[in-house]
Amino acid sequence: MDKKPNVDVMFRRGEYPDKYCLGVDGWAFSEEKLSEVLVDGTRKLLTLDLSISPYGFVELVNKGDKKERSVLVEKNYDKICPNNCPGCFEREAEVRNPLLSFAEIKDIVDQAVELGLESVKFLGPGELITNPDFWEILDYFKEKNVKMLIFTKGEILGDDKLALKYQKMSSEKLTMKLCSYSNVRILIDCRSFDEEKSNKLTRSEADNSFKARNRAIELLVRNKMNADPFCQRMSLQTNPVTQNTMSEILDIFKWGTERNIPVCVTATMVSGRGHKLEKQARNLAFEEKLIHLYTDIYLHIIDLGIVKLDRLTVEGISPYAGTAPCNQLSCGMFIRKDGVVLRCPGNDSPEFEIVDDVREKPLKEIWKNSVNYNLGPVFNNHCVKDGFSLPVRLYEEVMRRVIDTLKIKESGTQNIAEIEGTVKRREILETGKTQHKRKV
């Protein structure tokens, strides 16, 4: 049975303010911001995806030789993460170099700040909230005036037992203290509102991760993380969208959107354990369902008055359905826990690697010589998953279906269910058997 968090609706159809946009603050940037340069003409490095390992974990793994490090990471992963997610992009990924220490991370961030850094997303390993030095890390980024986007499954923020275990305080006090950092943004997992399914998806050490997650969402809202329509400080993460969760995603998107909580919708990352989900994502039937989901989401936000078609045709379809287009590639990079620099955490295939070890060169040199830098200030750079877990035709296909549906609706000849069915059948006939075509 579906059990949603107890959170009041903030906006209904026609009530969204002018210039409103769905997208957690600090994830994407405006066209003007993307074009900013340093005094010497270098385009700014606005964001980084970072992995920060706990001190004890770093020491333990780095004692091993090159062949042993990957084994040591897997063997001790449960010490830094209360979950065992089947699609985790961090698990089962190679460990090529010694793990970065926090001192080395700070050196990298100090260089990045000089290059214009404004935000970081934390992508493991494990849950950042389990790190014994969590508050020191938060204090450092607050001092640097850098926004912190923290991915979490949410249990620690909603389960007193876990909060006491990792941060020695109740979940209510932990969430309140975390939200008091004005530079913090929380990206909380929400792939299902079904209790049994949700607990299976996360495989958490929490007694009931679903209830803990829902309570965490309620506590975040109580601490006003969704209060400002122009600075959304929390987001629901439905990724990876799979065959098992597909039918629920539109409902989750609608629920979050009514409450000024952006919802991230996309297919699996092509990294770590995510590689195991890629085959499913490339199935033609799944591809068709994903395109239909994206189309429904865009029709929904147009109906709500959040976006008009003319704006959508200029910005293009986002790889994160319904939210601000992604420009991570054109203004950022991903620095993995072992120092490998990748274009984005969404794909760890060899062709997306920038350098083998961030410690070998100045960050400015790495940035200026990267494929990402050479893209220029692209507002919607699509995704490194295109042709892997996202169909390359997604963007044009969704746009075409949205436009066709709206045209038929304007004619007044059919109801919306009939319109969507007509458009879907037409597109299947036109497309025939579609294959993924990879684009690097």
Side-chain angles (χ1 to χ4, degrees):
M1 183 193 299
D2 284 0
K3 298 176 184 176
K4 299 178 176 67
N6 184 19
V7 177
D8 291 338
V9 169
M10 183 177 289
F11 299 119
R12 297 191 187 277
R13 185 174 182 270
E15 296 178 349
Y16 291 88
D18 290 341
K19 298 182 180 179
Y20 180 85
C21 180
L22 287 167
V24 68
D25 181 58
W27 188 307
F29 299 88
S30 68
E31 292 181 90
E32 294 76 20
K33 178 63 68 174
L34 291 169
S35 298
E36 289 183 0
V37 297
L38 304 175
V39 175
D40 65 359
T42 301
R43 216 161 43 78
K44 288 184 177 180
L45 176 67
L46 296 171
T47 190
L48 283 175
D49 286 344
L50 283 176
S51 296
I52 298 182
S53 306
Y55 174 78
F57 189 70
V58 172
E59 276 207 324
L60 190 156
V61 173
N62 286 354
K63 284 179 180 177
D65 60 28
K66 187 173 183 178
K67 293 181 180 179
E68 295 174 317
R69 289 179 199 132
S70 296
V71 175
L72 287 169
V73 165
E74 281 302 310
K75 185 177 179 181
N76 294 280
Y77 212 87
D78 61 349
K79 293 182 172 66
I80 60 171
C81 189
N83 311 302
N84 186 15
C85 303
C88 178
F89 92 102
E90 254 280 336
R91 300 293 296 268
E92 299 176 22
E94 68 168 334
V95 181
R96 196 180 305 169
N97 310 308
L99 300 190
L100 291 164
S101 67
F102 185 47
E104 289 172 318
I105 290 287
K106 287 194 288 186
D107 177 63
I108 293 163
V109 172
D110 287 347
Q111 293 180 65
V113 168
E114 294 297 315
L115 295 172
L117 185 71
E118 294 194 7
S119 70
V120 293
K121 294 196 292 293
F122 292 97
L123 295 108
E127 289 258 357
L128 185 68
I129 304 171
T130 67
N131 195 312
D133 300 318
F134 183 54
W135 305 111
E136 179 188 343
I137 294 168
L138 265 61
D139 288 338
Y140 168 75
F141 282 95
K142 182 180 180 181
E143 178 188 331
K144 294 295 177 180
N145 196 29
V146 173
K147 296 171 185 175
M148 305 172 60
L149 286 70
I150 303 172
F151 286 91
T152 178
K153 297 301 177 188
E155 301 100 317
I156 302 173
L157 299 178
D159 184 305
D160 283 337
K161 183 178 72 174
L162 292 182
L164 286 166
K165 175 181 177 179
Y166 291 110
Q167 294 300 335
K168 297 180 173 53
M169 63 182 77
S170 70
S171 57
E172 187 170 355
K173 288 183 178 179
L174 171 59
T175 306
M176 184 184 299
K177 183 174 180 179
L178 178 60
C179 294
S180 72
Y181 285 79
S182 60
N183 62 323
V184 164
R185 316 288 182 254
I186 300 298
L187 314 175
I188 188 167
D189 180 88
C190 186
R191 287 170 285 168
S192 175
F193 282 137
D194 179 89
E195 185 171 350
E196 182 179 357
K197 183 189 291 186
S198 191
N199 284 331
K200 287 180 179 178
L201 287 170
T202 305
R203 302 178 186 173
S204 172
E205 69 176 82
D207 293 333
N208 189 313
S209 64
F210 171 83
K211 289 182 178 178
R213 189 276 316 277
N214 277 7
R215 182 166 180 263
I217 292 172
E218 293 170 358
L219 289 173
L220 289 167
V221 169
R222 190 186 302 174
N223 284 280
K224 303 186 183 305
M225 295 294 277
N226 72 326
D228 188 342
F230 299 107
C231 182
Q232 297 149 339
R233 295 182 58 202
M234 65 180 291
S235 171
L236 303 183
Q237 303 291 308
T238 67
N239 42 299
V241 177
T242 64
Q243 187 67 44
N244 188 30
T245 63
M246 179 79 75
S247 62
E248 294 188 65
I249 303 304
L250 182 60
D251 183 46
I252 295 171
F253 185 90
K254 290 179 176 179
W255 186 90
T257 300
E258 286 185 333
R259 291 158 177 80
N260 191 40
I261 305 173
V263 180
C264 181
V265 178
T266 193
T268 183
M269 298 171 84
V270 191
S271 308
R273 287 179 174 176
H275 283 284
K276 296 177 181 178
L277 302 177
E278 185 186 348
K279 183 178 179 180
Q280 177 196 102
R282 296 180 64 194
N283 175 275
L284 184 58
F286 179 86
E287 175 184 311
E288 177 58 35
K289 288 180 181 179
L290 188 70
I291 289 172
H292 192 61
L293 171 64
Y294 272 58
T295 303
D296 284 345
I297 285 174
Y298 278 101
L299 288 170
H300 180 64
I301 62 173
I302 289 172
D303 183 61
L304 291 178
I306 293 174
V307 68
K308 290 183 169 58
L309 183 59
D310 56 354
R311 175 178 145 197
L312 182 61
T313 54
V314 171
E315 293 185 352
I317 300 299
S318 171
Y320 303 109
T323 59
C326 182
N327 35 59
Q328 156 77 29
L329 292 179
S330 60
C331 67
M333 302 181 292
F334 169 44
I335 301 175
R336 209 167 63 183
K337 62 181 176 291
D338 61 350
V340 173
V341 183
L342 295 163
R343 297 188 66 193
C344 174
N347 199 324
D348 64 6
S349 303
E351 60 263 44
F352 294 96
E353 184 177 316
I354 294 174
V355 296
D356 180 68
D357 194 337
V358 69
R359 288 163 282 211
E360 294 177 353
K361 300 176 182 177
L363 192 65
K364 186 174 184 177
E365 181 182 340
I366 294 171
W367 169 231
K368 290 191 69 175
N369 289 307
S370 69
V371 177
N372 287 9
Y373 184 88
N374 290 327
L375 276 177
V378 180
F379 181 65
N380 184 349
N381 54 215
H382 292 178
C383 189
V384 293
K385 301 191 293 289
D386 294 346
F388 292 83
S389 61
L390 284 176
V392 173
R393 70 185 181 106
L394 174 80
Y395 308 99
E396 291 183 2
E397 194 84 353
V398 172
M399 184 69 78
R400 189 182 343 163
R401 292 190 189 192
V402 168
I403 292 171
D404 281 358
T405 303
L406 293 175
K407 282 180 179 178
I408 299 172
K409 185 179 179 182
E410 285 176 6
S411 72
T413 58
Q414 296 169 294
N415 64 41
I416 191 67
E418 291 172 335
I419 292 166
E420 291 170 351
T422 300
V423 173
K424 182 177 178 181
R425 286 192 296 275
R426 181 188 304 162
E427 295 300 336
I428 292 172
L429 287 171
E430 289 178 2
T431 305
K433 283 192 173 182
T434 304
Q435 295 181 347
H436 281 61
K437 292 182 180 179
R438 299 182 176 183
K439 181 170 61 178
V440 179

